[in-house]
Each structure stands twice: as C-alpha cells, then as structure tokens.
Amino acid sequence: MSEQMSDDDERQQSPPSDLDFTSNKARTCIVTGSVSGHTEFQSPYPDQVLENVLENVLHFLTSRRDRNTASLVCKSWYRVEALTRSELFIGNCYAVSPARATARFTRVRALHLKGRPRFADFNLMPPDWGAHFNPWVLAFAKACPWLEKVYLKRMSVTDDDLATLAESFLGFKELVLVCCDGFGTSGLSIFVSKCRQLKVLDLIESEVSDDETDWILCFPEGESHLESLIFDCVEYPINFEALERLVARSPSLKKLKLNRYVSIGQLYRLMVQAPQLTHLGTGSFSPSEIAGQGDQEPDYVTAFAACKSLVCLSGFREIIPDYLPAIYPICANLTSLNFSYANITAEQLKPIISNCHKLQVFWVLDSICDEGLQAVAATCKELRELRVFPVDAREDSDGPVSEVGFQAISEGCRKLQSILYFCQRMTNAAVIAMSRNCPDLVVFRLCIMGRHRPDHVTGEPMDDGFGAIVMNCKKLTRLAVSGLLTDKAFDYIGRYGKLVRTLSVAFAGDSDMALKYVLEGCPQLQKLEIRDSPFGDAALCSGLHHYYNMRFLWMSSCRLTYQGCQQIARAMPRLVVEVIRSADEEEMDVCVQTLYMYRSLEGPRNDAPKFVTIL
Amino acid sequence: MVTDKMVDYPQFLNLMNKEWLVNHKVSEDKKLELRLGPPGEALDYNRNTTHGTKRAFQHTAETRTGEKEWPVDTTKNQCQKISCIEKIGDKVNLPPTPWSSGSTIYSAFSKDTKEEPQHSKASFFQNLPVSKKLAGMAEDFKQPCSPRMAVGEVQFADGKACCSLATADPDASTNITSNKRIEYSPVVGWPPIRSFRKNIASNSLSKPASESSNDKDTGGKPENPKTQLFVKINMEGIPIGRKVNLSAYNSYEELSLAIDDLFSGLLAAQRDPSATQNESKAKESAKAEAGPLAGSGEYTLIYEDDEGDRILVGDVPWNMFVSTAKRLHVLKSSELSTLQICSNEKEKAPFDPAVHI
C-alpha cells in the first residue's frame, strides 16, 4: 500500500536537467582535464580514470534529485550520470519523448512513467485523452533491451504493448500498473506466458477487460520466481485451481492480493500453501456458498496464525464480519491494514484494532463512525497514515464521521504523517487541533463532501483551520482543501505553505487573488489541480514566473477564456497548453472548460484527440 | 429565513416561492434524467455536464423544500440501469451516479445564456427564470460595493454574468442556510472517489452498518456490462413465462421475493380464473396464497448458464450468478429428482429458503 498512488514520499525533484533553459547553473567544470575531451594536450589516461571513478561513484547515487544535480556539473558528469542511471522516473510522459529519453539514458533497468492527470480519475476528462504506453515500449525495446522493471501510473496500455514487453525484454522482472487501462486478460495471458523471469505482477486499481482468457493458467509450469502477485482490481472470476498450483510452486511469493471472486474457503487453501506471505489481500472474505454453514469450516484462525510474517492485510471485499475473528492472531504484527472495502461497525472493529499496536497505515470506511476512530486513536500510537473513505459518497447523506473522530485521531496518533478524511461536517477547531497535535503531517487531505460547507458549529468558513495546518505543519508537502473557503485561506497557504508541492482545490476561493497568493507564495509548488473555482485569466498570468518549475497545472470549470490561455501559450513556448472540451462539443467556446498545461521539451504532442486543442 | 441578501435578489425569492417551478423542474428533470442514458448508450461526460448546468441553476434558487430526494429518487432507477456502463471493455467511461449528471454553477457560465435546444427542450423553460435571475444579479453586482469583485471579473459583466453567481453563492449559502446548505445538483466527479470505491454498500454481502443497501444503490454492479439484465423465467405448470431484470436486485433473497411476486398473480389466475378481472384483487388473493408458497420449499429455482447447463441457484456469489445466468426456471421440488441437473458436487440436504419461492 505504501507504494500506491502517493508520491508525497518522493523526494523533492529539481527541474529535470534536460530543461536547460531553466537552469542558470554555471557549467564550469571543476574536474581538471576532462572538459568535453577537447583539450588535445591531455593524455586520454586521466580522462579515462576519472570517468571510471565517476562511474563507480555515481552508481551509488540513487536519488533522482541528486542525480539531476550531479548531471549539471559538467558535460563529463552529465555523460557518466546518464550511463549510470538505472532507474528513470518521468513524472509526465509528455514532458519528454521516448526517443530523447532513450538517447540519453541507455542503460536503464527500470522505467517509471506517469500519464494522465489525477482529476481524470473522477471523470473530469473524456476517455482516450492520451498517455499511451505504446511509443515508450517500442522505443525502449529497440534501445534498452536490458529493461527489467516498468511502473506505470494512469497510462493506457494495450494488449499489444504487454506482448511487446514480454517479447522484447528477455530478463523482464517487474510490471506494476496503477490506475491503468486499455488492456485485458488476453494481454495478460501473453505477458505471463512469455516472461519466464517474472517476479512482480501488480495490477492496482486498474481496469482489466475480460477477454475470457484464463491468464492464471498461462503462467509457465515449473518453479516460478514470483514474489508479488496483485490482482485485486480484476473484476472477473479467475481459475482458482490454476492459482492454487501457481502459489504452490512459487516459494518466493511474499505478496498476494486476491480479487473478490476468491472465497474465504479458497483463501484458506492458498494460505496453507504460502505461510511465508508478508502482504495478503484476502479477496471476498466470505464463503462462496450462501448456505454452507452445515459444512465443516476450515480452521481460519490457525491458517492466519501460521502466517508469522504477515504485516500487511487488505481485501475484505465482501466481508462477512463473523469471520473477522480469524485475523486476531496476526493483529499484533500488522503494520498496514486496509479495511476500505469492509462495511463494518465500530463494534466489529474494536476487537481487531485494540490489538493492532504496531499499525502504521490504516485505511477504513466511515461505517466505523467516530466511535471506531476513537478506538483507533486509543490503540494505534504508531499510526503514520490514515484514510477514511465514505460508504455513501453523496453530498447530502448523514455523515457517520465528523470532527469528533477527527480530533480523537489527532489526540491519539501524534505521529500522523498522512491523512485523507472524507466527512460531511467539520469544524475549524478540530482542524486547528490536528495542526497542533500532529506536527509531522506531510500530507493533509480533508474532503468535506458538501460543497461550500462552513464550520458547522460556528458557521465560519474553514479558512482558519487550513491556515493553521500550513502554519503549524512545517513539513507539509501535499494539501487538499474543501469546505467553504475564502481568499483568506489561500493567503495563508501562500504565506506559510513554503514546502507545498501538490495542492488540490475544489469549489473554493472568492476571486483571482486566491490563486495569485498561491502562485506567488509557494515556491515548491509542482502540481496544482483546481476545479470549479472563480479564478480567471488575470490569476493565470500571475504564475508565469513559476510554470516552468511545475509539472502541471489543471484548471477545470473555472473562469478562464481562450484569449487568456493563448496569452500564456505565447509567453511560454516550452509549455504545452491544452484546452480540453467535452467530447461532443464542436466549436470552440470563449470560456475554457478545462485547461491542462505542462512543461515539455517536445512541444505539442501529435496524439491529441479531437476534443483537445493545443494552443 | 429572509435575510438582507435575499432582499437584494428578489428573483431569488420569486423562484423559491414558485411551486410551479419546483414541480415543473422536477418533471422536466425527470425528462432530462431519462434522456441521460438509454441503456447501453455511450455516455459522454459532457452531455451530463450540459444537462446539469441548467439544473444547477435551478438548484441554487431552491431550498430543500421536499425536493431533497429528487436527485436520488429519480435518478436511482436510471442510475441502476445506466451505472453499469462503467464496464471496462465497452470503453464507456462515465459512471452516471447521481452526481454525475451535471457540472456546477460555475461551469454553467459558458452555457447559461445560450439556447442549446439539442441538449434539452426542458432547459428552455429552465433558462427563462434563470436568465432573469442572472440579469438581476449581474446588475446588482455592477455596484462597486462588493469587496470581492476582482478587477478581472469585469469582463464578464456584459453577458455571461459568471462572476456574480460565483460571488453570490458562498454568501447566499451562508446567509440563507446557517448550518444547512442550498441544495446543489449532483456534480461530475464530486466527491472525488474513484468509481471502484463507490459501490461498497451494494457489493458487500454483509449486513451493512447503515440502512439497507437497496436505498444506496448509487451505482449498481460495476462488473455487469449490461445496464439491464433481463432473463426469461418460466415456472413449471404455467405456460406463459416472465422476464426478470437480474441487475435490479442485490441478493438471492430479493430475487426470490421478486419471482414470488411475478408468479403469484399468474398462479392465482390459474387456480381461480374469476379473480383475474381485478388485477389488484388477484394480487391480494395471490399474496394470501403466496404466503405459504414462499419458503414452503415447494418450488426450486434453477438457472441456465452461458454454457447451457442447468444449475441450482444459490451456489455462487450473487454477482457471479448475475453475470452467468441466462435463463431461470422455477420447478416443483417434487419433480427435481426426475430431472437431470448439473448441480454442484455437494448435496445440500436442507435447501436454503432464499433459493426457494
């Protein structure tokens, strides 16, 4: 779970070194005798030694920020760094082209690509916008045959791409697809059948279409190297017998996350085969037969007790709470527990959570109510990350959780670093309390589901609460705001949110000033996503000094006009300014529905669909 | 609840007082709702947007006068049917949950003053009072007293009146509704929950912590590619079959009750032909008879899967059943032994009443 979605634990990334127009760093070479190899009188020997030394040293440099910085020292360092970079991270697949990436980094072993903007997950953009993996896989197949690991987020991957992956990279080991789509079970079948060295196949929150191919059966016979198999997002039944055999012949398997078509009885059989698991997704956690009570139930408690290494538990897709006691034996060891699909009450949670003393990551549904959160606060003193999702994600429903649970968490879990909290009502007082109780907060995402909801006790806007967060939480890098917010809140953010890198705004602010405060005040801002807020062209122009330092800016249903966006596009040639309209709209409107703009070395992309206009 | 702000906007008051508008809008919106998605039609995210924009304006004018339920109720059925469009393979992208039907008032700016007849005839009626209101409010806002009018907003004063509503609403909402809010129409992508997280209540087989999952059917089953899964169902001894929509139910129990309902009338008619004259009477008498019918174990429910095999209903999880069942049969339990049935290996001696009707 810690690998998922959140890039808040990514280290600060300086602008990519290939965007040379942004960096005014001197290119003076501090290493004698290796200036571009021009100097004829120098014998090649010191050059060679130096480069070899550099290569060996730079191998130890893993952080991409450090590597970016190192590559700016001089051309020699640039060259060596490029040769020694084994993990290539590209935060926006359209910022560089595959050709450019493969030309510079020839020995890459791992590729990490991100595609669509996050708001696309909430249907704010028509499908087929882009972010295709295809050109990347083709380019890398030609240039970097030693590629072993691919990590994609929000990209479109086709079955052919999966086939190409499997066929072009002989030692391919790891494939992780997060929030991806475009492929199906037939692509998976080809992929698993050809990747004989496969260690990791993680499908996380991706859409997999059912081509009615039995992909589990396609894993090659014989001992498998599988260490991680995650397919809980696959919404189709799988061949359980084949899976059982696969697990039996995968002695290295540590992570297994099943989908909801695996019953608890089947889970038992798998756990018995794989007690060495460290991460387990339980599947449905209910029996397959509706009427099966007469049968002998397997001893689930013993099965769980046998998994002594289990630290991460998730699944519970169709939970029958009667079976929950089965997990008692391992609660004390758990560092990560994901109940976000389990519609359980506080009473059902308490016996579990009261044993989870080591818990650091907890995802849960608001069905546990404030009372359940109080129970969490009472026990989980090591909690670092909490996510509370709504069972009923509507604006007008009665919220089972409120500021009461929120404040309890802040008082009990002082080490909290990351929180995502959906609720219907909140107070400034509770948010201020959290800002004081949890100074280590790095990620603060509060979603008051009713739009423009004020503090429900005082009737005031939520400005002071969020203000306190940016003021008191000095390590804050990611912030998502909600509720009734005036420009004042953004003034606070601009003034105190000096480390904020990601900011999500929805239905907030009064005027352009709000956006100005943020763009002028937050020097580390990299990702800004705004929807349905009254910000116009003037506000957009106030960020011109900063846009090259950002990965992207998203503004939908704001008050931007065509002319305004065009001004930006003209002023900043290395910025790709996309105006996205609804798929069936023919003509260009004066008002811009969605603006998505990002820095890029390549200029306008050539795969833009009809509903995208690049200015 | 009349505050100073509301005095400034008499149109607001007018709109709120006009019952006809409420009723009219509800019925018009029902039309809109239906138009949103005939089953199987690819839903474009924008169509919802433009429909919703009109409705959004209405909502800002109205309070929660008994209208609260309408976005849920009228859309519930529709959403049940069309929500399943979020099936992956069809590449239809939009899960039309109740809040997907529209964008917010802000995004309505570009469209509010335009007539867009092809989107909805109903919107024409909606536009009338809306534009009046907008015009009224735009005028009010031309006064320089409003501290929140930024310079950049002046450009909109000529026709779009975008800004006025924007600045009006936060105010309006806090003044008119102290702890409650003005009712907003549902909005695309809000709250920001990914679609696979949206159907928790209906997917879980457990007794949900809150009230029954039926009321919360905001999306139906994402894995079901069809919006309506009508399958034929025949009862032994009755020559005329029925059709039942599997995707309208969430569990075997619901299905068996529904099948009970379906055939009770026909059963009664067969037993007492005179009762068919008055359908409701027939139903009543049938229900009196159906009482003992349900749970009596007299009938057994069988289904045919996509391979043509006949299988006892109740073995597999509900969702799996829905995706594989192609036909249903209601057979007399006494006849079962004479039939060749492909059931599961285990012999369940006491049949689960959920499977019987």
Side-chain angles (χ1 to χ4, degrees):
Chain A
M1 233 152 55
S2 57
E3 298 130 3
Q4 286 189 47
M5 278 168 283
S6 161
D7 39 1
D8 313 296
D9 42 310
E10 286 169 7
R11 306 249 301 267
Q12 165 68 40
Q13 187 187 357
S14 55
S17 49
D18 23 38
L19 293 178
D20 22 11
F21 58 89
T22 56
S23 85
N24 295 322
K25 295 194 174 91
R27 292 220 167 217
T28 50
C29 183
I30 60 173
V31 181
T32 53
S34 61
V35 181
S36 316
H38 279 335
T39 43
E40 301 285 2
F41 57 90
Q42 294 282 349
S43 66
Y45 182 72
D47 239 3
Q48 207 65 42
V49 171
L50 224 43
E51 292 223 349
N52 287 344
V53 169
L54 252 184
E55 205 171 312
N56 286 319
V57 168
L58 286 182
H59 267 301
F60 290 101
L61 221 55
T62 47
S63 141
R64 61 177 190 265
R65 177 198 189 188
D66 294 342
R67 284 192 155 268
N68 290 343
T69 313
S71 69
L72 292 173
V73 170
C74 67
K75 280 198 179 148
S76 176
W77 280 53
Y78 178 95
R79 216 172 29 241
V80 176
E81 191 283 314
L83 285 174
T84 55
R85 191 182 294 221
S86 62
E87 199 167 311
L88 180 59
F89 172 88
I90 295 172
N92 175 2
C93 63
Y94 286 119
V96 294
S97 68
R100 193 186 288 258
T102 52
R104 177 173 169 187
F105 301 107
T106 51
R107 299 198 196 156
V108 163
R109 299 278 164 142
L111 174 63
H112 185 139
L113 270 179
K114 295 191 177 182
R116 285 183 287 274
R118 194 178 73 96
F119 272 7
D121 290 351
F122 313 120
N123 300 303
L124 290 181
M125 196 160 76
D128 303 324
W129 169 83
H132 302 289
F133 182 49
N134 183 260
W136 292 91
V137 72
L138 295 178
F140 273 80
K142 267 194 289 193
C144 299
W146 307 280
L147 192 67
E148 294 178 347
K149 174 180 171 180
V150 167
Y151 178 108
L152 302 178
K153 186 166 180 182
R154 292 199 190 94
M155 297 212 45
S156 288
V157 182
T158 63
D159 290 339
D160 288 337
D161 296 335
L162 290 176
T164 312
L165 259 185
E167 285 156 11
S168 314
F169 305 101
L170 296 175
F172 199 80
K173 297 200 170 66
E174 298 186 22
L175 179 63
V176 178
L177 300 178
V178 179
C179 300
C180 293
D181 61 10
F183 62 101
T185 50
S186 51
L188 284 177
S189 304
I190 305 176
F191 179 77
V192 302
S193 65
K194 300 211 170 155
C195 279
R196 304 255 151 187
Q197 308 294 323
L198 194 65
K199 286 192 188 169
V200 171
L201 176 60
D202 291 350
L203 306 172
I204 299 168
E205 293 180 8
S206 294
E207 281 190 15
V208 183
S209 61
D210 183 19
D211 311 322
E212 291 174 9
T213 336
D214 188 345
W215 59 284
I216 300 277
L217 199 56
C218 291
F219 277 92
E221 288 298 329
E223 186 168 296
S224 138
H225 303 274
L226 263 188
E227 294 175 7
S228 172
L229 179 61
I230 296 179
F231 62 94
D232 54 346
C233 59
V234 173
E235 290 289 325
Y236 304 100
I238 45 108
N239 179 339
F240 177 73
E241 281 70 31
L243 178 65
E244 201 178 2
R245 290 195 300 272
L246 177 63
V247 169
R249 65 179 190 275
S250 306
S252 313
L253 194 67
K254 292 281 191 291
K255 302 187 189 182
L256 179 64
K257 298 199 183 178
L258 310 164
N259 72 1
R260 59 191 178 88
Y261 289 93
V262 179
S263 70
I264 193 169
Q266 292 170 330
L267 170 68
Y268 174 82
R269 283 157 64 179
L270 293 174
M271 287 178 74
V272 161
Q273 301 271 13
Q276 76 281 8
L277 288 176
T278 58
H279 294 57
L280 176 64
T282 63
S284 68
F285 213 70
S286 56
S288 59
E289 297 94 354
I290 305 281
Q293 274 73 12
D295 303 332
Q296 184 78 19
E297 291 267 39
D299 188 353
Y300 298 117
V301 177
T302 309
F304 273 96
C307 294
K308 302 208 184 295
S309 316
L310 209 52
V311 290
C312 172
L313 194 59
S314 61
F316 308 104
R317 294 290 180 130
E318 286 166 2
I319 188 174
I320 303 263
D322 306 335
Y323 290 99
L324 263 181
I327 72 172
Y328 287 167
I330 45 122
C331 288
N333 295 334
L334 283 183
T335 56
S336 170
L337 179 56
N338 182 350
F339 270 152
S340 64
Y341 290 95
N343 196 341
I344 55 174
T345 63
E347 286 315 305
Q348 291 160 341
L349 176 71
K350 278 183 192 170
I352 309 277
I353 208 73
S354 57
N355 290 323
C356 295
H357 299 278
K358 288 196 196 164
L359 207 59
Q360 294 186 15
V361 176
F362 186 48
W363 292 21
V364 72
L365 285 177
D366 63 3
S367 57
I368 62 166
C369 302
D370 288 328
E371 199 188 331
L373 289 173
Q374 285 162 334
V376 174
T379 318
C380 304
K381 301 299 175 190
E382 297 297 316
L383 201 67
R384 303 280 195 271
E385 177 178 328
L386 174 69
R387 296 198 191 191
V388 180
F389 294 95
V391 169
D392 182 12
R394 286 181 298 179
E395 288 185 65
D396 306 318
S397 56
D398 299 319
V401 297
S402 68
E403 75 278 2
V404 172
F406 191 81
Q407 186 145 353
I409 291 287
S410 77
E411 286 161 6
C413 308
R414 298 297 176 109
K415 299 188 187 175
L416 202 63
Q417 292 174 358
S418 168
I419 183 163
L420 169 62
Y421 196 85
F422 283 87
C423 58
Q424 294 285 356
R425 53 195 188 284
M426 185 50 60
T427 62
N428 280 309
V431 179
I432 294 171
M434 180 165 283
S435 76
R436 295 214 180 102
N437 293 333
C438 306
D440 292 337
L441 276 177
V442 172
V443 172
F444 186 79
R445 301 160 70 190
L446 175 61
C447 182
I448 303 170
M449 289 192 276
R451 286 169 274 158
H452 307 298
R453 281 252 175 98
D455 178 324
H456 79 97
V457 167
T458 65
E460 297 278 306
M462 294 298 299
D463 298 339
D464 292 335
F466 285 102
I469 291 286
V470 284
M471 264 189 260
N472 299 334
C473 301
K474 314 253 190 276
K475 305 181 193 172
L476 196 76
T477 59
R478 182 169 180 182
L479 180 63
V481 300
S482 61
L484 180 64
L485 293 171
T486 69
D487 291 348
K488 197 163 84 148
F490 296 91
D491 187 13
Y492 288 139
I493 296 173
R495 245 195 270 167
Y496 301 105
K498 294 303 176 189
L499 294 182
V500 169
R501 291 204 301 263
T502 307
L503 180 62
S504 304
V505 177
F507 306 102
D510 300 324
S511 73
D512 285 351
M513 288 311 297
L515 185 53
K516 278 191 189 149
Y517 290 140
V518 169
L519 288 172
E520 288 166 3
C522 300
Q524 300 295 332
L525 194 62
Q526 290 197 344
K527 296 178 261 181
L528 182 54
E529 42 190 29
I530 302 173
R531 64 167 294 181
D532 294 277
S533 299
F535 308 141
D537 300 334
L540 198 61
C541 288
S542 64
L544 282 171
H545 66 284
H546 190 61
Y547 291 138
Y548 281 152
N549 294 334
M550 288 177 63
R551 191 182 294 174
F552 71 80
L553 169 68
W554 166 289
M555 286 177 71
S556 61
S557 304
C558 296
R559 295 208 224 136
L560 302 173
T561 66
Y562 225 66
Q563 292 95 305
C565 297
Q566 233 155 16
Q567 268 184 326
I568 305 284
R570 273 190 224 116
M572 312 198 73
R574 298 277 198 161
L575 215 57
V576 174
V577 179
E578 293 195 12
V579 170
I580 305 170
R581 58 186 180 282
S582 346
D584 61 0
E585 237 178 276
E586 286 306 324
E587 81 267 358
M588 221 53 65
D589 215 351
V590 176
C591 277
V592 161
Q593 169 73 17
T594 301
L595 165 73
Y596 179 57
M597 65 188 202
Y598 50 90
R599 66 185 170 191
S600 171
L601 290 174
E602 313 300 336
R605 57 188 174 112
N606 53 12
D607 63 355
K610 290 205 182 77
F611 51 82
V612 171
T613 308
I614 301 182
L615 300 177
Chain B
M1 230 178 17
V2 177
T3 64
D4 289 340
K5 275 283 185 230
M6 289 179 51
V7 169
D8 288 339
Y9 314 135
Q11 290 84 355
F12 234 64
L13 275 174
N14 287 340
L15 287 169
M16 288 202 306
N17 290 338
K18 281 200 175 127
E19 282 254 344
W20 71 267
L21 191 62
V22 172
N23 295 333
H24 190 67
K25 188 201 71 60
V26 171
S27 62
E28 290 304 330
D29 281 314
K30 281 197 171 132
K31 278 193 215 158
L32 278 179
E33 287 302 336
L34 287 174
R35 193 166 327 172
L36 271 182
E41 183 179 328
L43 281 185
D44 177 77
Y45 93 123
N46 176 62
R47 187 173 311 155
N48 295 329
T49 307
T50 51
H51 282 278
T53 57
K54 314 293 187 298
R55 240 175 297 125
F57 273 114
Q58 288 306 318
H59 270 289
T60 56
E62 266 118 22
T63 55
R64 314 149 295 299
T65 50
E67 249 214 315
K68 190 170 185 166
E69 304 303 334
W70 82 262
V72 181
D73 288 343
T74 56
T75 56
K76 183 172 81 153
N77 280 336
Q78 204 56 35
C79 287
Q80 261 186 335
K81 294 167 195 165
I82 56 182
S83 64
C84 305
I85 294 184
E86 58 177 285
K87 167 82 165 77
I88 316 119
D90 297 348
K91 299 259 185 242
V92 179
N93 77 309
L94 184 64
T97 49
W99 54 84
S100 70
S101 52
S103 172
T104 62
I105 43 171
Y106 297 125
S107 56
F109 297 148
S110 56
K111 305 220 165 25
D112 58 350
T113 50
K114 276 197 255 179
E115 296 287 346
E116 284 187 59
Q118 74 274 18
H119 284 294
S120 67
K121 299 170 189 54
S123 63
F124 173 74
F125 297 101
Q126 293 180 340
N127 263 336
L128 279 179
V130 166
S131 346
K132 256 198 262 171
K133 175 175 89 147
L134 274 182
M137 290 172 84
E139 300 209 2
D140 289 328
F141 264 95
K142 275 175 186 159
Q143 299 155 25
C145 59
S146 171
R148 289 170 303 148
M149 282 282 283
V151 173
E153 295 170 13
V154 173
Q155 57 183 306
F156 287 98
D158 54 346
K160 309 273 181 187
C162 308
C163 52
S164 47
L165 259 192
T167 46
D169 274 310
D171 242 8
S173 59
T174 44
N175 285 334
I176 292 169
T177 62
S178 50
N179 281 343
K180 301 178 185 176
R181 317 166 293 115
I182 286 182
E183 195 73 21
Y184 286 108
S185 70
V187 154
V188 178
W190 186 264
I193 308 273
R194 295 197 178 93
S195 46
F196 55 81
R197 285 201 182 277
K198 278 184 179 160
N199 303 313
I200 307 284
S202 50
N203 272 347
S204 70
L205 292 176
S206 67
K207 313 157 197 59
S210 34
E211 65 275 11
S212 84
S213 53
N214 297 337
D215 299 333
K216 294 196 183 159
D217 208 291
T218 55
K221 302 163 210 7
E223 80 283 359
N224 192 339
K226 303 176 189 61
T227 60
Q228 289 174 344
L229 207 51
F230 282 100
V231 295
K232 289 186 206 164
I233 176 164
N234 286 85
M235 181 180 255
E236 196 177 334
I238 298 180
I240 298 179
R242 300 294 300 261
K243 271 208 155 176
V244 62
N245 180 8
L246 288 183
S247 54
Y249 310 107
N250 294 318
S251 69
Y252 288 113
E253 215 167 70
E254 284 179 51
L255 178 66
S256 74
L257 285 173
I259 292 175
D260 198 1
D261 275 335
L262 277 181
F263 284 106
S264 55
L266 288 173
L267 268 177
Q270 273 195 310
R271 290 171 195 179
D272 182 9
S274 60
T276 55
Q277 289 187 12
N278 188 345
E279 196 187 308
S280 56
K281 257 199 214 163
K283 275 196 174 157
E284 277 172 3
S285 56
K287 282 222 181 321
E289 287 188 313
L293 195 68
S296 67
E298 202 185 336
Y299 289 89
T300 307
L301 197 56
I302 308 277
Y303 74 101
E304 272 182 41
D305 69 359
D306 37 19
E307 289 172 6
D309 297 326
R310 289 179 164 213
I311 304 172
L312 204 64
V313 165
D315 286 346
V316 297
W318 171 256
N319 296 318
M320 201 188 289
F321 163 71
V322 171
S323 57
T324 54
K326 299 292 176 237
R327 264 189 94 126
L328 291 172
H329 296 277
V330 184
L331 305 175
K332 292 202 176 96
S333 303
S334 54
E335 300 284 344
L336 273 184
S337 53
T338 64
L339 295 172
Q340 300 206 335
I341 303 172
C342 286
S343 68
N344 56 336
E345 314 77 58
K346 290 189 201 160
E347 198 77 70
K348 287 197 272 289
F351 285 114
D352 190 330
V355 175
H356 282 61
I357 51 170

